Amino acid sequence: MPQLEVDGAVLAYDDVGPRDAADSPLVLVHGWTANRHRWDHQAAHFSARRRVIRLDLRGHGESTGAGVPTIAHLARDVVALLDHLGVERCVLAGHSMGGMIAQTVALAHPARVERLVLVGTTGRMTYSRGRGLLMAASTLVPFRLFVAANIQRAFAPGYPREEIRAHIRASAATPREVVMTLYGAMRAFDVLDRAGEICVPTLIVHGYHDVQLPVRQVLRLAKACPDAVVRVLDAGHELPLEKPAELTGALESFLSAKP
C-alpha cells in the first residue's frame, strides 16, 4: 500500500490501472467516516482500462492525521496527491463530503478537472430551524450514539440491518476528534454561489430517499452548474454501498459520452 506524507498526515492510497491509457485518470474521494473501499465496485470496473486513484482521507481508514477545520484543507491533500503522482488532469469523483472536496478542487484548480462526478453531495449545507437544532443536540450524546444515529439514517428503508451495524462499527473506529471536527467543516461548507464557475461536464447522482442531503438541495446545485446532468437512483445517501452497479453504470455512461 503506497503512502504520502502531507502536512502532518500520512495518506494511504491506491493507484491502479494502465498508466498509458488514453483516458484521463479517475480519482475517487470518499465521504465522512468512510474510506477508499467505498469505491471498490467502481475501482474494479474502471481500472481494467483506465488509471484509477483513490485515497483514505486524513484520519480515515489507513491514513493518519488529525481533523481539519475546513473542506479546503482536505482538497489540498487531494491536490498534493495528484502532484505527487504527476497527474495534471483527471476525472474527479466524490461522494458526500468527498463531493464537497471535489467541488472545492474544481473551483480552485479548474484546469486540472476534465469532468466532475458528484455523488450524494451538496453545494451548501442547509437545514430547517428544527433540523439544525436536532443536529446541534446530537453532538451532545455519547460519541457512538452520535455516529450510529448519523449512519443509520444514511440508508434507504429495507437495507439489511446487519450491514448497517457493520458500517456503524467501522465509522465509529474513526477517531472522535476527526469525526467531530469534520462534522463542523461540512456544516460550514458553502460554495453554491460559485457553482456557476464549474464549467466542465458534471454528473450529479443522488438517492431519492436521501434524508441526510435531500434531493432538493442537489437540484439547487444542478441548476447553478451550467453543464450538469442529474441521475436520481432508488437509494438513500450511501449510493456506493446501496447501488454499486447502478452507480458504476451511471459513471460509465457519463464517461463514454462525448463532451
Side-chain angles (χ1 to χ4, degrees):
M1 175 193 61
Q3 296 178 324
L4 174 67
E5 187 172 350
V6 181
D7 293 335
V10 177
L11 306 180
Y13 66 91
D14 295 326
D15 181 5
V16 297
R19 303 294 190 276
D20 58 352
D23 295 322
S24 296
L26 173 62
V27 179
L28 303 167
V29 187
H30 68 77
W32 181 65
T33 76
N35 59 55
R36 67 190 191 277
H37 293 292
R38 277 292 196 275
W39 298 104
D40 279 351
H41 194 280
Q42 293 73 39
H45 176 82
F46 288 105
S47 62
R49 63 184 186 280
R50 179 193 290 263
R51 187 178 184 184
V52 176
I53 298 162
R54 54 181 177 163
L55 76 157
D56 285 341
L57 296 168
R58 60 173 58 226
H60 291 71
E62 296 178 275
S63 292
T64 67
V68 287
T70 69
I71 297 298
H73 285 80
L74 298 176
R76 288 196 286 271
D77 288 347
V78 173
V79 173
L81 179 60
L82 297 180
D83 290 343
H84 173 69
L85 297 176
V87 175
E88 294 297 328
R89 192 166 170 80
C90 68
V91 175
L92 184 58
H95 170 241
S96 191
M97 185 177 75
M100 300 177 191
I101 296 167
Q103 292 172 74
T104 304
V105 172
L107 288 166
H109 305 277
R112 303 193 73 163
V113 179
E114 178 182 291
R115 294 186 183 219
L116 188 63
V117 180
L118 304 176
V119 181
T121 193
T122 184
R124 173 186 294 160
M125 295 290 283
T126 57
Y127 317 97
S128 66
R129 178 177 175 82
R131 171 74 175 138
L133 290 172
L134 180 63
M135 292 183 71
S138 72
T139 64
L140 303 178
V141 303
F143 176 64
R144 186 170 180 83
L145 290 179
F146 168 79
V147 172
N150 278 277
I151 302 304
Q152 174 73 44
R153 65 198 306 274
F155 294 87
Y159 195 78
R161 289 182 175 274
E162 186 51 44
E163 291 189 31
I164 294 176
R165 285 192 286 267
H167 291 303
I168 290 172
R169 291 192 294 270
S171 293
T174 309
R176 184 184 191 280
E177 180 271 337
V178 172
V179 171
M180 302 310 296
T181 302
L182 293 180
Y183 181 75
M186 288 190 296
R187 293 190 67 187
F189 178 75
D190 184 356
V191 298
L192 189 59
D193 291 339
R194 297 189 60 199
E197 300 173 33
I198 300 175
C199 296
V200 298
T202 301
L203 172 66
I204 298 175
V205 188
H206 215 78
Y208 179 80
H209 304 284
D210 190 338
V211 296
Q212 302 277 51
L213 301 174
V215 172
R216 64 180 179 275
Q217 291 194 27
V218 79
L219 292 180
R220 285 199 295 268
L221 175 61
K223 182 179 178 181
C225 290
D227 195 7
V229 59
V230 179
R231 289 284 304 275
V232 177
L233 302 183
D234 184 16
H237 182 67
E238 284 288 353
L239 287 160
L241 294 174
E242 296 177 70
K243 299 289 183 179
E246 289 185 36
L247 177 57
T248 296
L251 266 68
E252 180 67 62
S253 297
F254 175 66
L255 296 180
S256 299
K258 294 182 179 179

